[in-house]
Amino acid sequence: MIRYKSSRQLSISEFKMPFEAKLDENNRWVVLSKIVPWEEFARLYYKNFKSNRGAPTKDARLVLGVIIIKHIMKTDDRGVIEMIRENPYMQYFLGLEAFTYEQVMTPSLLVSIRKRIDLDVFESLTDDLIRKGLKLKSAVKPEAGDTNAKDEDTNDDDPHPGNSGKLQMDATVCDADIKYPTDLDLLNESRQKAEELIDELCLKLGVHDKPRTYRRVARKEFLNVSKMKRKPANVLRKAIRKQINYLKRDIRTINEMLDTIKDEPIPFDRRQQKYFFVIQHLLEQQETMYRKKNHQVEDRIVSIHQPHVRPIVRGKAKAKTEFGAKINISLLDGYARVDHFDWDAFNEGQDLQAQVERFRMLTGKYPELVQVDKIYLTRENRRFLKVKGIRYTGEPLGRKPAKEIRSRYQKRKERREAAERNQVEGKFGQGKRGYGLNDIRARLSSTSTSWIGAIIFVMNLIRHMRDIPLPYFVSLLLKLMRVRNI
């Protein structure tokens, strides 16, 4: 059942505080409450509820407010609920009418909330922020999740609307919070999970004599190798072969026990069935790699708890391989938009034309300058940018002319425009260092997507605060001017 509550912003005097205290109107949470698009989020959020039956929903403003506080403060689900209990400014930000010592919601509810909020919802809110911050004309926006509407909007009557603004693009990996995967560790975890499933089957089927699993011997052999400071290749390969055989035996035992109850439903819940399918698929992959003596296989599983996570080879200085979702973003005057989200590796250069068209849909014009690195500048993309009258940073193809006359101003301008592309790298650094974009702690694919979208939206909120001439920032600017004697 949907319980709708108006998101009308209370005045400072209307918010009731204990001991006759008063709130400071220049507090950051009071300022932030005035720029969040509460009504737009409520419109998108309540579409997920198809029926008016059941318990009342949490207010949309409360839901979005808790998510914003969580990622700004970079805390966990339990920590953000306790933080809100202690802070009257946060409760005012959530739209409460008076200070309360009660929990605004149970921490476990945040998992269900993240399942209902996908990336398209946060992207729609970001588009609203960009239009307000950059004073763009409002356009007919496609509904969140409606891909057909997006395709229809790309057919514009004016093929040459003009050029204005700069567009920066780059891709990064949002690392998932998983243990660094090795073949031996994955096989050991799969074997332990298979042994848990055997114990569960014996309990539900009333089997007193448990089948032999050699779990003690298998664990001892695993520890003998895993504790070695230096693992020779032949020793490691022998240990992997033994763990494969133990796991194969356990899976065969589970299938034999399930064959005895063909006419009855499988006594596994949905979570246990998922683990059973995952460890079987992982066993097939490990056997294939062991037989071929390599470490590459299609759709390789690197975590039995998060089987959707894939290894993405990036060649970075910190780590050659990263594990998580890869996103391709475009940066418009400091606002970040996620244009491509995928758990598998992809070539970000293939998204340039779609990103340019999405820029036109938002602003009504093509960018005047596109700032990208070499992977985007394919021949096809260069032809596309030339047709649209868009300049780009990067060296032209072919041999350099023998005599190229460029003024000092042109050289300085080219260096400055090429250096401006580092702003998108700074945006990645802001997300990873300040908001945990490189430590996604959600376990499901849908909740991880919502987690990443929330972080990008929060960064855009902080960016949007610079475009609003609020008293807090005006007073802060005056203080800085006095300090610097301007």
Side-chain angles (χ1 to χ4, degrees):
M1 181 177 70
I2 298 176
R3 177 192 290 173
Y4 180 74
K5 176 184 174 184
S6 176
S7 298
R8 184 185 72 85
Q9 178 61 57
L10 297 175
S11 64
I12 296 293
S13 59
E14 290 177 321
F15 187 79
K16 299 178 180 61
M17 287 278 293
F19 310 114
E20 302 299 328
K22 294 183 179 180
L23 297 181
D24 180 14
E25 63 179 4
N26 291 328
N27 182 270
R28 58 173 174 168
W29 299 109
V30 177
V31 173
L32 193 61
S33 66
K34 299 176 183 179
I35 65 175
V36 178
W38 304 110
E39 295 294 341
E40 175 65 14
F41 175 77
R43 182 182 68 84
L44 298 173
Y45 179 67
Y46 288 134
K47 287 184 178 180
N48 296 317
F49 301 90
K50 305 299 182 183
S51 174
N52 288 328
R53 299 178 180 179
T57 64
K58 291 293 184 181
D59 181 57
R61 172 162 182 167
L62 179 66
V63 168
L64 180 60
V66 171
I67 292 176
I68 292 174
I69 294 174
K70 168 186 170 57
H71 291 291
I72 287 181
M73 303 307 296
K74 198 179 177 182
T75 183
D76 57 359
D77 293 349
R78 292 186 180 90
V80 68
I81 299 302
E82 290 300 318
M83 197 175 292
I84 292 171
R85 288 181 59 188
E86 303 165 355
N87 195 316
Y89 288 101
M90 292 182 179
Q91 295 187 18
Y92 175 84
F93 175 73
L94 297 180
L96 303 184
E97 297 180 355
F99 181 79
T100 177
Y101 294 100
E102 301 295 329
Q103 287 186 346
V104 293
M105 65 175 66
T106 57
S108 59
L109 186 60
L110 282 171
V111 178
S112 301
I113 288 173
R114 280 191 284 266
K115 293 179 181 178
R116 299 191 182 104
I117 309 175
D118 57 10
L119 184 62
D120 292 336
V121 173
F122 290 112
E123 286 298 294
S124 179
L125 298 180
T126 294
D127 290 349
D128 283 346
L129 290 179
I130 296 175
R131 290 189 180 95
K132 293 177 183 178
L134 304 183
K135 298 180 176 57
L136 302 175
K137 294 181 179 179
S138 59
V140 179
K141 296 174 292 184
E143 300 294 338
D146 189 359
T147 56
N148 296 328
K150 294 180 181 178
D151 295 338
E152 293 175 0
D153 288 343
T154 56
N155 300 324
D156 196 358
D157 296 334
D158 186 6
H160 302 288
N163 303 84
S164 178
K166 299 178 181 179
L167 181 63
Q168 301 160 352
M169 291 175 279
D170 204 356
T172 190
V173 174
C174 305
D175 302 279
D177 183 28
I178 64 172
K179 179 183 177 182
Y180 188 86
T182 63
D183 294 336
L184 187 61
D185 288 336
L186 287 172
L187 287 169
N188 179 66
E189 290 182 2
S190 300
R191 177 187 57 79
Q192 291 177 336
K193 183 58 64 175
E195 292 166 357
E196 292 178 9
L197 296 178
I198 291 175
D199 294 341
E200 184 71 17
L201 277 177
C202 292
L203 182 63
K204 292 184 177 180
L205 300 179
V207 177
H208 298 289
D209 297 331
K210 292 184 180 180
R212 184 173 296 177
T213 58
Y214 297 97
R215 64 184 68 188
R216 293 183 180 178
V217 178
R219 176 164 177 78
K220 183 178 180 181
E221 291 178 349
F222 164 74
L223 292 177
N224 288 338
V225 177
S226 63
K227 290 181 178 180
M228 296 174 64
K229 188 173 182 180
R230 179 180 173 275
K231 303 176 181 61
N234 60 335
V235 175
L236 185 60
R237 180 173 173 82
K238 182 178 179 181
I240 290 175
R241 176 178 58 80
K242 289 184 177 180
Q243 294 298 321
I244 288 176
N245 291 335
Y246 288 129
L247 179 58
K248 190 186 299 184
R249 179 190 180 96
D250 292 340
I251 290 177
R252 185 169 62 249
T253 300
I254 294 175
N255 288 324
E256 291 174 354
M257 297 179 70
L258 293 177
D259 289 339
T260 61
I261 53 171
K262 289 183 178 180
D263 299 333
E264 300 179 10
I266 298 178
F268 288 152
D269 57 25
R270 187 169 62 179
R271 185 167 176 267
Q272 291 171 334
Q273 289 184 30
K274 178 182 177 181
Y275 273 117
F276 185 45
F277 293 142
V278 169
I279 62 178
Q280 289 183 90
H281 189 47
L282 183 137
L283 176 61
E284 295 177 2
Q285 292 183 346
Q286 293 293 329
E287 281 189 303
T288 302
M289 291 187 293
Y290 179 82
R291 187 170 56 254
K292 294 183 178 180
K293 297 183 179 181
N294 62 15
H295 299 280
Q296 295 181 351
V297 68
E298 185 178 1
D299 293 331
R300 182 178 180 181
I301 297 176
V302 294
S303 172
I304 63 173
H305 311 293
Q306 300 183 49
H308 53 274
V309 176
R310 296 286 177 266
I312 298 179
V313 179
R314 298 279 289 168
K316 298 296 183 179
K318 179 181 178 182
K320 182 180 179 181
T321 305
E322 298 175 284
F323 307 93
K326 186 176 181 180
I327 60 174
N328 193 6
I329 76 164
S330 56
L331 202 63
L332 168 60
D333 198 12
Y335 291 96
R337 308 171 77 200
V338 180
D339 298 295
H340 192 168
F341 181 102
D342 204 334
W343 290 103
D344 293 317
F346 60 86
N347 187 335
E348 52 263 36
Q350 65 187 5
D351 298 326
L352 181 139
Q353 299 182 25
Q355 289 174 289
V356 171
E357 292 293 342
R358 193 178 178 206
F359 179 95
R360 180 190 60 82
M361 290 171 55
L362 179 66
T363 64
K365 295 184 178 182
Y366 285 112
E368 188 271 334
L369 174 66
V370 168
Q371 298 166 311
V372 292
D373 54 13
K374 292 181 180 180
I375 195 171
Y376 288 88
L377 298 179
T378 61
R379 293 182 181 272
E380 182 180 357
N381 289 340
R382 289 172 187 262
R383 286 192 294 266
F384 171 81
L385 295 175
K386 183 177 181 180
V387 170
K388 301 300 181 182
I390 304 173
R391 296 189 300 111
Y392 55 87
T393 58
E395 295 293 334
L397 297 177
R399 181 180 298 176
K400 293 183 180 181
K403 293 183 179 180
E404 185 178 10
I405 302 175
R406 289 186 300 172
S407 65
R408 182 179 300 177
Y409 168 77
Q410 290 176 327
K411 295 179 180 179
R412 187 167 61 248
K413 181 181 178 181
E414 291 177 359
R415 288 195 300 267
R416 185 181 69 251
E417 290 177 347
E420 284 179 355
R421 198 198 69 83
N422 292 332
Q423 293 175 5
V424 69
E425 300 287 355
K427 183 62 68 172
F428 290 148
Q430 177 191 5
K432 294 185 177 183
R433 288 180 175 270
Y435 300 96
L437 193 60
N438 60 341
D439 187 22
I440 307 302
R441 300 184 181 182
R443 296 189 66 171
L444 302 178
S445 175
S446 57
T447 54
S448 299
T449 305
S450 178
W451 191 298
I452 295 171
I455 291 177
I456 301 296
F457 173 67
V458 166
M459 290 194 298
N460 289 327
L461 268 181
I462 302 302
R463 164 65 185 87
H464 184 65
M465 293 175 74
R466 298 188 324 198
D467 293 331
I468 306 301
L470 295 172
Y472 172 78
F473 297 101
V474 174
S475 61
L476 180 60
L477 180 60
L478 292 176
K479 290 179 181 178
L480 292 175
M481 292 175 65
R482 286 195 298 267
V483 170
R484 298 179 181 180
N485 295 323
I486 298 179

